[in-house]
Amino acid sequence: ENVVLTCALPECPQQVGVLIFVTKTDSSHLSLKRCTAFLIDADKIMTSGHCDQGEKAEGYFITRTDFQAHTFRKVNKLLFKKFTANGQDPELLSGRPDAAAFQLESPITNIPPLKLASGKPKAYARLIAIVANSVPGASAITMKIGRLVCNAHRNERYFPFDVSEGPDVIRAFDCGGEKGNSGAPMFSENGPEVEAVFEGAEDRAA
């Protein structure tokens, strides 16, 4: 109830919010892990696969608190997950596809979902991620929606594994960013559809 998520851009997609997983560590303390997430259906959200903490924590999806259509929903169940851990260093991502979809406890009827792009990935030059950022000096649950502008290349130019394992993985770089940006929707410069999901550390997208 104390989460604050406001827009720091001239205009922010109302479908973009924050996914927070809450774990009770003892009688008086909670552990919070957060990622960016976005609405893809009335009762479904998408984020990065490595953000999933559902087996040991309760998840909540919160949209902008400075918008009249502000919503707060508990995550009901995991619908889809694609994620491969890095076998050499668990703190780094593997570069393979990384996405997840969750069902919410009830539909969000006052916000239209974002549309996912379909068909073969394009040869993007740049992708723009709409992310939930922490606010310096504020509490961990005070955030602002901002954006990252990333250069992009298809995975075959950078990843050492067979392209057939992840033909839809894109390398996004020069993004900057911080923990909690993972799971953000990525848009092309000229389109309203979600082209990719921001992976976070290592600046990749799936």
Side-chain angles (χ1 to χ4, degrees):
E1 294 180 359
N2 297 319
V3 173
V4 176
L5 179 64
T6 57
C7 179
L9 301 172
E11 186 175 352
C12 295
Q14 55 188 308
Q15 301 90 346
V16 178
V18 62
L19 175 61
I20 298 178
F21 283 100
V22 182
T23 306
K24 194 171 184 179
T25 56
D26 56 44
S27 59
S28 59
H29 294 87
L30 299 174
S31 171
L32 304 179
K33 292 184 183 268
R34 69 172 177 87
C35 278
T36 306
F38 56 99
L39 196 67
I40 57 170
D41 201 350
D43 63 345
K44 298 175 182 66
I45 59 171
M46 180 167 278
T47 188
S48 289
H50 74 267
C51 293
D52 176 31
Q53 304 287 317
E55 291 186 0
K56 55 186 178 181
E58 290 190 340
Y60 300 90
F61 177 64
I62 302 100
T63 58
R64 282 172 47 197
T65 55
D66 62 344
F67 190 72
Q68 60 182 1
H70 164 61
T71 60
F72 181 98
R73 293 288 190 280
K74 185 176 180 180
V75 170
N76 187 31
K77 64 180 178 179
L78 177 68
L79 297 173
F80 166 85
K81 180 176 176 179
K82 191 78 171 177
F83 173 65
T84 303
N86 187 318
Q88 296 182 338
D89 187 344
E91 294 298 315
L92 297 177
L93 301 176
S94 66
R96 288 171 167 80
D98 184 6
F102 294 89
Q103 186 170 45
L104 304 176
E105 62 177 346
S106 61
I108 296 174
T109 58
N110 56 351
I111 299 177
L114 286 173
K115 183 178 180 181
L116 302 179
S118 60
K120 186 176 179 180
K122 307 174 186 67
Y124 308 106
R126 295 206 303 176
L127 288 170
I128 298 169
I130 304 299
V131 299
N133 289 320
S134 59
V135 177
S139 73
I141 53 176
T142 299
M143 294 153 285
K144 287 185 179 291
I145 293 177
R147 74 175 200 160
L148 304 174
V149 179
C150 310
N151 293 310
H153 286 294
R154 289 292 301 283
N155 67 348
E156 58 264 32
R157 291 191 55 184
Y158 291 91
F159 298 156
F161 54 86
D162 187 340
V163 177
S164 64
E165 293 184 46
D168 295 338
V169 176
I170 299 163
R171 173 70 185 236
F173 56 97
D174 295 336
C175 300
E178 61 180 56
K179 284 188 175 181
N181 289 166
S182 293
M186 301 188 81
F187 302 87
S188 67
E189 295 179 278
N190 301 314
E193 298 178 340
V194 178
E195 304 287 350
V197 180
F198 188 67
E199 194 176 60
E202 298 286 309
D203 291 341
R204 293 189 176 115

